[in-house]
Amino acid sequence: MRDATPEQDQTIYLADYAPVPVTVTHVDLQVRLDPLATRVSSRLTCIRQGPGDMVLNGELLKLRAVRLDGEELSPDAYSLTDTTLTILNAPDSFLLETEVEIAPQTNKALSGLYMSNGMYCTQCEAEGFRRITYMLDRPDVMATYDVQIDADLPVMLSNGDETGHGHWRDPWPKPTYLFALVAGDLIATHDSFTTMDGRDVALNVWVRPGDEGRTAYALDSLKRSMAWDEKVYGRVYDLSVFNIVAVDDFNMGAMENKGLNIFNSKYVLASPETATDADFANIERIVAHEYFHNWTGNRITCRDWFQLCLKEGLTVFRDQQFSQDARGFATQRIGDVLNLRARQFREDAGPLAHPVRPESFVEINNFYTATIYEKGAELIGMLRTLVGAEGYAAGCALYFERHDGQACTIEDWLACFEAATGRDLTQFKLWYTQAGTPVVKVTEHFNDGTYRIDLEQVIPDTPGQANKKPMPIPLAFGLLAQDGSEVVGTQIHELTSETDHLSFDLDAKPVLSILRGFSAPVILDFVQPDAERLTLLAHDTDPFNRWEAGRALAKDRLMRAVTDDADFDAPWLDAMTTLATDTDADPAFRALALALPSEDDLAQSLHNADVVPDPDRIYAVRRAAQLAMAEHLRDDLSDLRESNATPGSYDPKAEDAGKRALSATLLRLQTMLDGGKAARAAYDVANNMTDRMAAFACLLDAGDETVAHSFEQDWQDDRLVMDKWFMAQVAHAAPRDAVGVADRLTRHRDFDASNPNRFRSLIAGLTGGNPAGFHNPDGTGYEFLASWLLHLDKSNPQTSARLSTAFDGWTRYDADRQAMMKAQLERILGTTGLSRDLSEMVIRMLKA
């Protein structure tokens, strides 16, 4: 029988968690594929573990049959709604069989079983399995699976090991979100890996015909990830095959399904001609991330979705460690912090702030956030700092031993470290439950040979949270003499109370280098003289803080130029020139150090200083600063670029990538002086996509009216390269033209809003790549974004909700812009049929 549909926007609370009364230990699944009428037959082995009815989840399913122990159930033995199938008065153990019909071809939400260019594929995290068949669709229900796929297709894949064509058996219990199925006309690139216990594992990367020539780097990254996880964490792969499949239509970057990772094509396919250094680095990182999930996410999963950071934060930390080993600690750490500040600090400072472990949600897909991932990873890094490398290794080993095959909580994770190290982590747990970025105020005093550092931590109020408790903050610091020599090497001070202090007996006031290596995800409130920052920039032994000093100097100049029309002074420009020409420094580091703070970073910094940010003014000041740097480096630019050339065949290794990054930075400065002459020459001779895209962006900045057409003619048949083409044109348009360029491109024959990569490329090119354009004073950027979010929300709510975060900083701008953004948010919220995903995001933003 069918009952009324339950309320769709019901809030789910962590405090309400309860185990299911009836669980599933094994799933037999038969999937008979058809684009419009796929039949899914399931046989669930069920065992009662408490009182109550068995409530299974299901969405957009046509129920054809339901049987218990082989007998068809009568209508009074179950109840059916649009989202649930409830088995009434179920026995202590039984076999539940259902048969449903679904239509993968019409599933444009890209959740559950859907089709991408004729290929069947799945995405089940977080709650997609309920769109395939009726099941207890929650992470604490872990079962083994036997899957039979029936179709006239050459390749049919699922989790585990293949026991016959289209038949797969996964012996490791897993939750529904890790189920995967792929079927279609695919070609594999094969390799193998021998584990440290001597087992051979077949490795396959499956792609559409024609893409097989761009899989080598993904396979190489996989093999290096497997070897690294064995060496560093002692984790060995546990099946005889590991499959990766590249899918064009995918809402996320990739998915760690047990033994069958499904990837967005952009994070698999790469060749020197079509992929940039950033693409190669992302492939390396994301392949590693999804592989590392085999233990931190699959073998040990999260009990409920509130514990999402348990698998994601930990696995991000592990992929960051891997990338640091592969590409160098300093530049990788700087890149990770830039990402954290750009995405997570912004999130923490606005209406979307939430704890690393949230207490409630309406739509779980809205909590796949930078706070869960990036801040979650920082918490793991702080834990390692606090307990030490040996303590961290011991805690991890105990976690794997104690909880293998279980669905766990943050408390389970921390308990392992308390047991392994004897340390009480009660206060540390506050990092998981309190939102907001702590501010650490630093004040110095030097009197009569005593140097004193006063420390204070302040945790700002965030939505739903006020009057927060002090948290343990590991502060790595060192002291330098005024001549740059090190007086005190790196030490760790743990700030555990609201205030604290350090003191040293010294002959002269030192230069303080604090928060070395970015030892905690905090904001420093530290007024430090320019002379000391210049000393740190020139001499600090910690490369992160050397970069940070230069960053602080640049931000100070830019902010004073915005607020007071201050000039860019010679000492700062001289320091930038010295850094640019320092051939002893790593080119990748020099590129990062020469890059100015982003427009959004400056807007937030001005807002924090109680200055209303003007996007047009910020854009103009950054351009003026770049021009001043270019003028100061005029005589060196060509020689510097030449000295960082990478002749010969392309190699994605970190050393060459660093040289190309520095060369691109210098080319941007050179373009400001010559109007694009050097960029045109570079574009014409480029033999790889990194150099070509760098020159392409410079030519767009210079207003070249022909380069976009010629680029399109060269690459119109390559979907991933064309994504770059769409994004670059919007990101590098003059702010006054940006919305018009974006609007024109939405009418291009190759623009497909249903493809997440293409849609994100164009929209993010405006909202993230061209802030002054998005914040055009006439409000057209806001109207453009709102209209497209509403358009996409009808078919793909996940993507529309994620891109809506471009509005999250609306309260920091002037009254006119605030009014226009608020009006668009209210327009979205007032639309009939709005998805749960997008409505939750808009409601939270409007509460600011």
Side-chain angles (χ1 to χ4, degrees):
M1 59 180 294
R2 182 172 296 277
D3 297 336
T5 301
E7 173 58 47
Q8 291 295 304
D9 293 338
Q10 183 178 358
T11 301
I12 309 299
Y13 294 94
L14 170 60
D16 292 338
Y17 169 82
V20 292
V22 180
T23 194
V24 176
T25 60
H26 183 73
V27 177
D28 280 293
L29 211 60
Q30 182 182 28
V31 184
R32 286 160 286 186
L33 294 172
D34 182 274
L36 296 175
T38 290
R39 286 291 181 107
V40 182
S41 300
S42 68
R43 300 171 75 241
L44 310 180
T45 301
C46 306
I47 299 176
R48 180 171 293 282
Q49 54 185 17
D53 294 326
M54 184 183 195
V55 182
L56 298 101
N57 308 104
E59 293 180 3
L60 305 176
L61 308 176
K62 294 180 181 179
L63 182 63
R64 299 303 188 190
V66 54
R67 293 179 290 273
L68 195 151
D69 289 335
E71 297 292 329
E72 198 79 27
L73 281 182
S74 61
D76 61 353
Y78 67 93
S79 65
L80 186 66
T81 74
D82 290 340
T83 58
T84 61
L85 169 64
T86 301
I87 307 302
L88 306 172
N89 303 314
D92 289 344
S93 62
F94 57 96
L95 188 69
L96 180 67
E97 299 174 78
T98 63
E99 184 174 322
V100 303
E101 185 177 298
I102 56 178
Q105 187 167 288
T106 63
N107 179 5
K108 303 303 180 183
L110 312 185
S111 174
L113 178 64
Y114 65 95
M115 299 192 74
S116 174
N117 294 320
M119 178 200 312
Y120 292 89
C121 52
T122 57
Q123 171 54 31
C124 291
E125 188 174 0
E127 297 176 337
F129 192 83
R130 62 190 62 188
R131 292 175 171 231
I132 297 174
T133 191
Y134 287 103
M135 179 58 177
L136 300 169
D137 193 13
R138 45 189 282 172
D140 61 342
V141 176
M142 302 177 70
T144 54
Y145 280 70
D146 275 281
V147 178
Q148 176 64 53
I149 309 168
D150 294 328
D152 185 19
L153 293 169
V155 176
M156 296 185 288
L157 309 173
S158 192
N159 310 89
D161 294 317
E162 189 172 23
T163 59
H165 184 56
H167 185 262
W168 294 80
R169 176 168 296 151
D170 188 355
W172 301 101
K174 65 175 180 284
T176 50
Y177 81 86
L178 291 173
F179 172 79
L181 180 153
V182 172
D185 182 12
L186 300 168
I187 294 178
T189 305
H190 307 288
D191 208 330
S192 63
F193 179 83
T194 302
T195 65
M196 64 183 185
D197 56 7
R199 291 181 299 103
D200 290 330
V201 179
L203 309 179
N204 305 301
V205 176
W206 298 90
V207 298
R208 297 191 316 179
D211 287 336
E212 60 272 20
R214 294 192 279 173
T215 59
Y217 198 73
L219 263 176
D220 178 65
S221 298
L222 175 59
K223 293 177 70 174
R224 288 187 286 114
S225 301
M226 297 175 81
W228 185 90
D229 208 20
E230 289 185 344
K231 178 181 178 182
V232 178
Y233 281 84
R235 299 299 98 197
V236 182
Y237 186 62
D238 49 16
L239 292 168
S240 64
V241 62
F242 192 96
N243 289 310
I244 289 175
V245 180
V247 177
D248 284 349
D249 300 288
F250 204 69
N251 281 336
M252 301 182 179
M255 181 60 211
E256 71 266 20
N257 317 296
K258 182 73 177 181
L260 176 55
N261 285 189
I262 299 179
F263 272 64
N264 188 318
S265 295
K266 69 182 293 185
Y267 298 121
V268 172
L269 306 178
S271 69
E273 298 78 19
T274 62
T276 64
D277 288 331
D279 293 327
F280 278 97
N282 279 330
I283 288 170
E284 178 180 74
R285 175 180 60 86
I286 294 174
V287 166
H289 179 95
E290 305 308 335
Y291 174 74
F292 296 155
H293 264 312
N294 188 61
W295 275 92
T296 52
N298 297 2
R299 288 282 288 261
I300 306 176
T301 192
C302 45
R303 185 196 70 178
D304 52 72
W305 289 121
F306 297 100
Q307 320 293 332
L308 183 58
C309 61
L310 178 66
K311 74 182 186 78
E312 294 300 347
L314 176 55
T315 306
V316 169
F317 177 72
R318 277 156 43 79
D319 81 52
Q320 289 176 350
Q321 288 182 297
F322 171 77
S323 295
Q324 288 165 5
D325 286 350
R327 295 183 170 269
F329 174 83
T331 54
Q332 186 63 39
R333 184 59 179 150
I334 292 168
D336 290 339
V337 172
L338 280 170
N339 182 45
L340 177 82
R341 287 173 171 169
R343 298 176 60 236
Q344 199 281 320
F345 276 24
R346 170 175 172 154
E347 197 166 82
D348 251 352
L352 300 179
H354 62 87
V356 174
R357 182 170 69 179
E359 296 176 353
S360 66
F361 62 78
V362 172
E363 173 51 63
I364 183 55
N365 286 313
N366 288 338
F367 282 87
Y368 282 75
T369 64
T371 296
I372 299 294
Y373 283 69
E374 275 70 36
K375 188 173 182 179
E378 293 297 318
L379 269 54
I380 306 299
M382 281 195 296
L383 179 62
R384 187 177 188 273
T385 298
L386 292 172
V387 303
E390 291 184 2
Y392 177 74
C396 286
L398 182 58
Y399 177 66
F400 294 130
E401 176 186 348
R402 181 182 286 182
H403 295 295
D404 186 14
Q406 297 178 13
C408 297
T409 65
I410 291 301
E411 286 79 8
D412 295 325
W413 163 255
L414 294 179
C416 291
F417 287 85
E418 290 182 322
T421 67
R423 181 185 174 108
D424 184 352
L425 294 172
T426 302
Q427 188 186 25
F428 183 79
K429 184 183 169 184
L430 291 171
W431 277 101
Y432 285 98
T433 59
Q434 295 186 159
T437 304
V439 176
V440 175
K441 298 182 179 181
V442 181
T443 309
E444 301 175 288
H445 309 275
F446 183 75
N447 293 298
D448 298 327
T450 299
Y451 174 64
R452 177 182 169 117
I453 308 169
D454 288 333
L455 302 168
E456 178 186 3
Q457 64 166 298
V458 178
I459 309 173
D461 294 345
T462 51
Q465 288 190 337
N467 304 317
K468 297 170 188 176
K469 297 178 181 179
M471 300 189 294
I473 300 175
L475 296 172
F477 73 96
L479 302 178
L480 279 67
Q482 297 295 333
D483 65 3
S485 59
E486 193 159 64
V487 176
V488 174
T490 300
Q491 298 183 10
I492 303 294
H493 177 73
E494 188 177 343
L495 176 62
T496 58
S497 55
E498 287 186 7
T499 61
D500 201 353
H501 74 274
L502 294 164
S503 62
F504 302 85
D505 294 328
L506 299 170
D507 294 334
K509 181 185 179 302
V511 176
L512 174 61
S513 170
I514 192 166
L515 204 63
R516 284 183 161 180
F518 200 71
S519 56
V522 301
I523 296 171
L524 280 182
D525 181 357
F526 181 27
V527 179
Q528 195 166 24
D530 278 358
E532 294 190 358
R533 286 174 173 167
L534 288 167
T535 297
L536 294 171
L537 177 60
H539 302 291
D540 202 333
T541 55
D542 180 75
F544 178 86
N545 268 18
R546 187 183 177 199
W547 169 83
E548 186 80 303
R551 185 83 168 179
L553 286 164
K555 183 178 289 187
D556 180 67
R557 266 78 184 158
L558 289 161
M559 290 178 66
R560 285 194 285 115
V562 169
T563 59
D564 303 326
D565 290 322
D567 293 330
F568 301 109
D569 57 286
W572 174 62
L573 293 171
D574 288 341
M576 293 295 99
T577 299
T578 299
L579 184 63
T581 56
D582 182 2
T583 55
D584 291 331
D586 177 23
F589 175 84
R590 289 152 68 191
L592 287 166
L594 288 171
L596 296 174
S598 69
E599 293 173 52
D600 190 74
D601 186 359
L602 290 169
Q604 186 63 47
S605 297
L606 288 163
H607 175 71
N608 293 342
D610 295 323
V611 176
V612 177
D614 179 347
D616 295 319
R617 178 67 179 156
I618 292 171
Y619 170 81
V621 163
R622 284 188 84 255
R623 293 278 293 176
Q626 290 172 322
L627 180 59
M629 290 171 62
E631 292 283 6
H632 221 67
L633 278 163
R634 178 185 289 272
D635 296 337
D636 299 302
L637 287 170
S638 293
D639 289 342
L640 284 171
R641 285 189 55 232
E642 181 62 29
S643 66
N644 283 281
T646 53
S649 59
Y650 173 89
D651 192 325
K653 65 183 180 182
E655 180 183 353
D656 283 4
K659 291 181 177 180
R660 284 187 289 268
L662 179 56
S663 180
T665 300
L666 297 168
L667 184 61
R668 285 195 293 274
L669 298 178
Q670 199 168 1
T671 300
M672 302 198 77
L673 301 177
D674 69 5
K677 181 179 178 181
R680 170 52 67 181
Y683 183 86
D684 290 341
V685 301
N687 67 352
N688 62 79
M689 187 53 68
T690 304
D691 290 341
R692 185 174 294 274
M693 282 303 301
F696 181 53
C698 288
L699 290 170
L700 291 172
D701 284 336
D704 188 307
E705 297 180 355
T706 64
V707 69
H709 178 70
S710 62
F711 191 103
E712 179 187 11
Q713 293 300 110
D714 290 340
W715 297 104
Q716 58 188 325
D717 295 328
D718 191 298
R719 60 203 185 279
L720 296 180
V721 176
M722 286 299 289
D723 286 338
K724 305 178 198 299
W725 180 82
F726 275 92
M727 175 176 277
Q729 287 182 86
V730 182
H732 293 276
R736 66 182 181 277
D737 300 327
V739 176
V741 171
D743 183 60
R744 172 174 55 81
L745 287 173
T746 62
R747 293 188 293 275
H748 190 280
R749 65 180 182 278
D750 290 331
F751 180 72
D752 179 5
S754 68
N755 178 263
N757 284 351
R758 186 58 47 86
F759 187 81
R760 280 190 293 257
S761 294
L762 191 144
I763 298 298
L766 176 65
T767 60
N770 201 326
F774 175 58
H775 293 290
N776 193 306
D778 65 9
T780 53
Y782 311 143
E783 183 179 3
F784 175 84
L785 175 61
S787 296
W788 277 102
L789 292 178
L790 287 170
H791 172 82
L792 186 64
D793 189 58
K794 298 172 185 176
S795 59
N796 191 336
Q798 287 186 31
T799 299
S800 64
R802 285 174 184 152
L803 289 173
S804 72
T805 57
F807 283 123
D808 70 350
W810 68 275
T811 58
R812 68 188 182 189
Y813 293 100
D814 58 84
D816 288 343
R817 286 186 171 92
Q818 284 192 35
M820 289 185 288
M821 280 190 271
K822 185 178 181 181
Q824 292 303 323
L825 288 170
E826 290 174 339
R827 172 193 165 201
I828 293 172
L829 192 59
T831 301
T832 302
L834 196 67
S835 73
R836 184 174 61 183
D837 308 61
L838 186 54
S839 63
E840 181 186 22
M841 297 296 283
V842 172
I843 289 170
R844 289 167 64 195
M845 286 187 277
L846 282 172
K847 287 181 179 178

